[in-house]
Amino acid sequence: MPLTRLHWRIGLPFAAFVLAGSIALLLWMAWLVAHEERGQFEILARTNAEFINNVRLPSSERMARQLSEVLGVHVTFRNTGEFIPALNPRLSPETWQAFLQTPADGNCRVISSWETVAIALHSGDDLMLARPQLPFLQSLKHWRTAAALGIFWSSALLVAWLVGRGLVLPLRHLAAKLPDIEKPEPLDLPEALRADEIGDVARAFIRTREALQNEREQRVNAERLAVLGRMTAALAHEIQNPVAAIKMHAQLWGTENTSAVTIASEAGRIESLVNQWMFLSKPEPPAVSEMDLHQLLLATLAAHRPQLDHAQVKAELHADESLIIKGDHRRLQQVFSNLLINALQAMPKGGQLTVKALRHENTVEITFTDSGKGFSNTALAHFAEFFYSEKEGGMGIGLSVASEI
C-alpha cells in the first residue's frame, strides 16, 4: 500500500512520536529509579551510623565484615587515611584517593562505578558503605518503569484510535460518497453535522453537489429554450410574409375605410410582436448608420397615429429638426414603438404623451412622458424583467426588448 495514504501519513509520524516518547520515558524512569535507590542507600547508611553511635560498637574489621554480610554492601571504617578493612588492592590510585577524600556528609556519590556514602561517627571514625553502581538495564526492570510504559502505550493507542475514528474514517466515508455527486437521490452525509474542519469539507461537498445539480437543470432548461427559440424564429419568419401582405392590402384600401385602418393597425401590432420575438430568438449585430432622429420620431408617431386617435391620446414632439445621430435605425424604431405602446396602455381613458429629444455634448436624451398612473413599486422592482407584466394580457417583453437594445 503506498505511503501516500492518509493513515500512513498520520501513522508514521505518530509512531515516531511514540518511539521518542518511550525512549524519553525510559531514560527518565531510569534516572528516577537510580535516584530513589541512592536515597534508600543514604537512609541505610544513616540508620547504621546511628545504631553504631547508640550502641557504641567498635570500628573493627570484624564489625565491618558482619555489617557487610547483613546489609549486602561493602562496609569499611575510615580513620586517618586508613580503611578497616582495607579496600580492594586492585583499585587504581585515583579511585583509592577519591574514596579517601569522600566527605562524611551522608550523601551518596559515584566513584568509578561505585556508589559510596560516608558518615562521621562519635568515635572519630567514618562509616563508609559502598556498592557497585546500579546497571541501567536493571533499573528498567523496575515495576514502576513497566507501569509507566504501559500507561503511556495505552494512552498512545487510545489517541490513535480516536484520531482514526475522528479523522481517517470520516474522510474515507466522504471519499466513498464522491461518486454520488452526480446522482439526484438524497445524500446521507452525517459528517455535515460536525462543527470542525471535516464538517466544513462535508458541507462544501453538499453545496458543490447542489450547485452541480442546479447547473445541470439550468443547462437542460437552456437547451429547451434554445429549441423553443429556433422554433419561434422559424414561426416568426413564416408569419412575417402574410402579415406584410395583409398590411399592404389594407393600406391600398385607403385611410377612409375604417375597417382597412383597423386591419392595418392590428397587422402592424402583429408585425411589431414578430419583430420583437425575432430579436429575442435570433439577435443580430447592430447596423449603425447616420440618421435624422427628428424624422425617425415623426415616423414612429405617424405609424401609431390610428392607435393614438382611437385611445384619445394627444401626442407632442419636441425635438430639433435635422438632429443627425449614429445608430441602428430599425432597432431604435423598435425601442420608440415599444415605449409609445407602453404609454398608450398606461392611458386607457386618454391623456397626454410628450416626446422630447434633448441634445447634450456628444449624446442625445430621448424621453417619453405620459399622464398615466405610473408604475407600482412592484413593477419598478421588476422593471425590464422578461415576461413580467401587471397589465391584463401583457406579455412582459416590450420594455425588456427596449432595455436590451
Side-chain angles (χ1 to χ4, degrees):
M1 186 174 294
L3 297 182
T4 55
R5 301 293 293 179
L6 184 60
H7 60 274
W8 282 109
R9 288 176 177 266
I10 296 176
L12 289 179
F14 187 76
F17 166 77
V18 172
L19 178 61
S22 300
I23 294 174
L25 182 61
L26 287 174
L27 294 176
W28 180 70
M29 289 302 300
W31 176 87
L32 183 63
V33 170
H35 181 73
E36 290 183 353
E37 290 289 338
R38 290 173 185 172
Q40 294 176 1
F41 191 41
E42 292 174 354
I43 294 174
L44 179 65
R46 293 191 188 98
T47 302
N48 283 272
E50 292 177 0
F51 175 75
I52 293 174
N53 287 330
N54 292 333
V55 182
R56 295 183 180 180
L57 295 174
S59 301
S60 62
E61 182 176 350
R62 179 182 177 184
M63 178 59 60
R65 295 186 183 281
Q66 290 178 347
L67 288 175
S68 297
E69 293 177 358
V70 173
L71 300 180
V73 298
H74 181 75
V75 178
T76 185
F77 295 101
R78 184 178 59 185
N79 185 3
T80 62
E82 296 182 358
F83 294 98
I84 302 172
L87 293 178
N88 190 338
R90 289 179 296 178
L91 293 177
S92 64
E94 293 81 5
T95 303
W96 189 89
Q97 191 67 24
F99 271 101
L100 185 62
Q101 296 177 355
T102 301
D105 54 6
N107 293 324
C108 180
R109 289 175 173 79
V110 178
I111 301 175
S112 184
S113 73
W114 284 81
E115 294 177 351
T116 181
V117 180
I119 299 178
L121 300 175
H122 294 335
S123 62
D125 299 332
D126 296 334
L127 173 66
M128 294 190 68
L129 275 66
R131 67 180 184 184
Q133 187 178 7
L134 186 66
F136 176 76
L137 293 179
Q138 185 176 348
S139 65
L140 298 182
K141 298 178 181 178
H142 197 277
W143 68 269
R144 294 180 63 180
T145 303
L149 283 175
I151 294 174
F152 177 72
W153 288 340
S154 300
S155 301
L157 288 175
L158 178 61
V159 171
W161 181 80
L162 292 175
V163 170
R165 183 177 179 84
L167 181 62
V168 177
L169 291 181
L171 289 177
R172 281 186 177 180
H173 185 251
L174 286 175
K177 290 292 183 179
L178 278 177
D180 298 338
I181 194 170
E182 296 184 354
K183 297 181 180 179
E185 294 82 7
L187 183 64
D188 182 20
L189 207 62
E191 288 80 9
L193 301 177
R194 298 174 53 144
D196 54 10
E197 288 77 4
I198 293 180
D200 295 338
V201 173
R203 288 185 288 273
F205 176 81
I206 293 176
R207 289 193 298 269
T208 302
R209 184 172 183 265
E210 292 175 351
L212 181 62
Q213 292 180 351
N214 292 335
E215 189 273 336
R216 179 179 297 172
E217 293 177 359
Q218 293 175 2
R219 186 170 65 249
V220 172
N221 292 334
E223 292 174 355
R224 292 174 180 173
L225 289 175
V227 174
L228 181 59
R230 290 193 293 270
M231 294 175 58
T232 301
L235 182 61
H237 181 73
E238 294 298 325
I239 292 175
Q240 276 184 329
N241 292 334
V243 168
I246 293 171
K247 186 177 179 181
M248 182 184 67
H249 284 84
Q251 290 173 349
L252 290 176
W253 284 352
T255 58
E256 296 178 357
N257 190 319
T258 305
S259 298
V261 172
T262 302
I263 293 173
S265 175
E266 295 304 318
R269 287 185 59 189
I270 296 175
E271 186 179 35
S272 176
L273 287 173
V274 169
N275 289 335
Q276 293 186 72
W277 280 112
M278 289 291 291
F279 174 80
L280 290 176
S281 61
K282 192 176 180 181
E284 298 177 356
V288 179
S289 62
E290 288 190 353
M291 68 187 74
D292 189 335
L293 182 60
H294 183 267
Q295 293 299 322
L296 178 57
L297 291 172
L298 281 177
T300 303
L301 291 173
H304 293 84
R305 180 58 60 186
Q307 295 170 269
L308 291 169
D309 294 340
H310 182 266
Q312 297 180 357
V313 173
K314 182 180 179 182
E316 294 182 358
L317 174 62
H318 301 280
D320 296 338
E321 294 185 1
S322 186
L323 188 57
I324 306 301
I325 65 169
K326 288 184 177 181
D328 188 320
H329 184 279
R330 185 175 65 86
R331 293 186 182 223
L332 288 178
Q333 188 176 29
Q334 184 71 58
V335 171
F336 300 152
S337 178
N338 288 2
L339 294 176
L340 192 148
I341 293 173
N342 191 77
L344 284 174
Q345 294 172 346
M347 300 180 290
K349 297 181 180 180
Q352 177 70 37
L353 173 63
T354 304
V355 182
K356 293 182 180 180
L358 301 178
R359 184 195 298 273
H360 298 290
E361 292 182 358
N362 294 321
T363 60
V364 176
E365 180 183 295
I366 303 110
T367 60
F368 285 70
T369 307
D370 62 65
S371 58
K373 64 178 182 179
F375 288 96
S376 67
N377 292 332
T378 305
L380 283 175
H382 294 273
F383 178 78
E385 182 178 317
F386 278 110
F387 310 120
Y388 179 85
S389 177
E390 291 185 338
K391 295 179 294 187
E392 184 177 356
M395 300 183 65
I397 62 173
L399 292 180
S400 302
V401 171
S403 177
E404 287 289 323
I405 294 175

